[in-house]
Structures are given as structure tokens and as C-alpha cells.
Amino acid sequence: MHIGLFVPCYVDQFYPDVAVATLELLESCGMQVEFPSAQTCCGQPMANTGCAEMAVPLAERFVEIFQPYDFVVCPSGSCTAMVVHHYDHLFSGEKRAAFEAVRDKTLELSQFLERYVPAEKLNFPSFPHRVGLHQSCHGLRELRIGACSERMVTGNDSVGELLERVPDLTRVTLKRADECCGFGGTFAVAEADVSVAMGLSRVADHAAADAEVIVAGDMSCLMHMQGLMRRDGSPLRVMHLAQLLCGRSIDINHDAKEQRR
């Protein structure tokens, strides 16, 4: 399969190893992966702040760039959900068919691995640590990659199933496993106090469960919680799912300055 790697802006700027780990992971599964260097922001910041019309040129550019690929894979539930669920009202007329074709082949990383990679190719390195899984709201409530407590149905758990395949990994039990971390992109700026309170609550849940590392499919949620943990001097670490599945060190996102403290 020919995969177009869709890398979110914040991953590109702050956590580039997440993109590299995603590339390595897909290639280890036998995929032909290409990073189209012309890609830009998907337009989510504009849409989140009520300026949806400003996202139209970015959405059209996204469709143009990713049309040639068999699948578009993204290490982010948030940016995937923008394409799959929020581009819909940005396209009409003759551009609509091209958008729908790209939308239908755009998947979050764990979705793609679960649906299209044979189980015998999903062999991961040992990770002998206690892991708390944070499921992002976009992943749970829009992409349905896990079960939400507000819905009385059983859902998929693509991230959890991948973690179960990692040798020596221990997944801790959280009290409120599907609660929002409070980041929400521009929500964290407009409602900073509420955002911080929500983030601290999530970190406390992971700490109380004796997790060593918080793992998620969205680095934006982890960035928010990592900032709060850094200020409190918490020993907890954060990792993207792709980094864990590639066998990165538990300290991969813990910078040298923090380690000297």
C-alpha cells in the first residue's frame, strides 16, 4: 500500500520524533510511506475559533496533495477528525467528489494498524513499564477508536488492543479513563484556568494509578499535561503511541533540561 503520511503542525514543530516513529512503524509493517513536503496545517485552528471560511483553502490544498495515495495516515485523532468530520461543509460542487474520496481513506494511526495490517506483522519491542492510556476526545467521540462512558454501547479499542500486544507492558487502571484533559486547542488559551484544572485532574488520576508514563495517540493532549507535570516536578513521562510501539526510551520526550533538575 502507498501511504501518504499526514503530520500535524505541532508534531512537526515540537515532537518530530513522533512523525519519524510513525514512518518507521508503518514501514516495519511493509507499507510504502511518503511524506508529501507540500502539506500544511489542516485548518483546525481556524475552524475551532469560528473562522471556518479561512480553513477552506487549506482543506482544498489537503485534498489536492493527498489524492494520489491509497491511504492517508495521521498520528493524531484530532487532525484526522478535522478531515473526516469537519471538512464536510467546506466542500461543494465539483470539488465535493475529490474530498469524499480523500476523506474515506484518511485514518488515525491506530485505526489503520487495526484495520489494514495483518496481525502477524504487529510485533513490537518489549516495554517493561506501567502505562496509563489517555484517550483524546476527538479519538473517542468522533473517530470512535475507544468506548466512552456516556454511550451505553461497546466500542472498538484500537489503541488498547495495540498496547496489549507489547511484551512486558503493564496497563494501569484509571478511575476516569475517558475524561478530557482540558487542552482543546484554543480552548486552553481562551479558558486557561479551566483548562489547567482539567489537566491537573487527569494527571492526578494517572499518578494515583501508579503509572510511569502517560501514552496517547494525540501529542497535543500530552503536551498540555506534560507542561503541567513539568511545573509540578512530576516524575511522570509522556509518550505517543507510535514512539512506544517503536521501542523508544521512556525519556524520549523528557528534555535534557528537565533531567538535570
Side-chain angles (χ1 to χ4, degrees):
M1 294 181 193
H2 192 197
I3 307 294
L5 180 58
F6 168 27
V7 176
C9 305
Y10 61 91
V11 168
D12 182 53
Q13 293 297 310
F14 301 122
Y15 300 98
D17 182 69
V18 172
V20 175
T22 303
L23 171 68
E24 293 176 4
L25 190 60
L26 291 170
E27 288 185 337
S28 73
C29 296
M31 304 299 158
Q32 178 189 353
V33 186
E34 183 176 344
F35 171 74
S37 59
Q39 65 183 279
T40 65
C41 172
C42 65
Q44 186 176 179
M46 296 77 166
N48 281 357
T49 49
C51 303
E53 289 303 311
M54 295 178 68
V56 172
L58 297 173
E60 292 177 349
R61 183 70 172 140
F62 182 95
V63 170
E64 178 186 349
I65 290 170
F66 284 102
Q67 263 184 309
Y69 300 98
D70 297 323
F71 288 98
V72 183
V73 178
C74 178
S76 165
S78 176
C79 294
T80 303
M82 177 65 190
V83 176
V84 174
H85 291 289
H86 300 286
Y87 273 10
D88 192 68
H89 63 288
L90 304 180
F91 287 89
S92 60
E94 61 183 17
K95 295 179 180 179
R96 179 80 189 175
F99 153 64
E100 291 180 350
V102 171
R103 176 196 62 193
D104 293 347
K105 61 184 179 182
T106 299
L107 297 161
E108 182 268 345
L109 175 62
S110 70
Q111 286 181 313
F112 178 79
L113 294 176
E114 180 192 42
R115 296 180 189 177
Y116 296 105
V117 177
E120 61 269 22
K121 291 190 175 182
L122 296 175
N123 298 310
F124 307 121
S126 168
F127 191 76
H129 298 286
R130 294 175 60 79
V131 172
L133 173 59
H134 175 76
Q135 295 275 37
S136 74
C137 294
H138 285 99
L140 283 181
R141 278 128 190 148
E142 293 192 323
L143 300 181
R144 303 296 182 193
I145 62 175
C148 315
S149 55
E150 68 268 22
R151 301 181 82 226
M152 302 302 289
V153 296
T154 302
N156 293 327
D157 185 9
S158 55
V159 180
E161 290 176 8
L162 289 168
L163 292 180
E164 288 180 3
R165 303 181 70 87
V166 178
D168 305 316
L169 182 151
T170 301
R171 185 171 164 186
V172 303
T173 302
L174 304 173
K175 290 184 177 178
R176 303 179 306 282
D178 63 347
E179 277 192 6
C180 175
C181 69
F183 178 58
T186 52
F187 174 80
V189 177
E191 300 288 350
D193 291 344
V194 178
S195 173
V196 167
M198 294 172 72
L200 289 174
S201 175
R202 294 311 311 130
V203 172
D205 195 11
H206 286 270
D210 199 25
E212 294 175 75
V213 55
I214 303 176
V215 171
D218 269 283
M219 209 63 213
S220 52
C221 303
L222 293 176
M223 179 173 65
H224 176 54
M225 290 188 282
Q226 184 183 37
L228 298 172
M229 293 187 295
R230 181 181 297 162
R231 295 186 189 97
D232 287 346
S234 170
L236 270 167
R237 302 289 194 265
V238 300
M239 290 182 77
H240 190 277
L241 175 70
Q243 294 175 308
L244 188 154
L245 297 182
C246 276
R248 298 287 200 267
S249 161
I250 193 173
D251 287 322
I252 184 67
N253 299 310
H254 198 67
D255 61 41
K257 183 178 178 181
E258 283 185 275
Q259 294 181 41
R260 288 196 296 270
R261 290 178 179 173

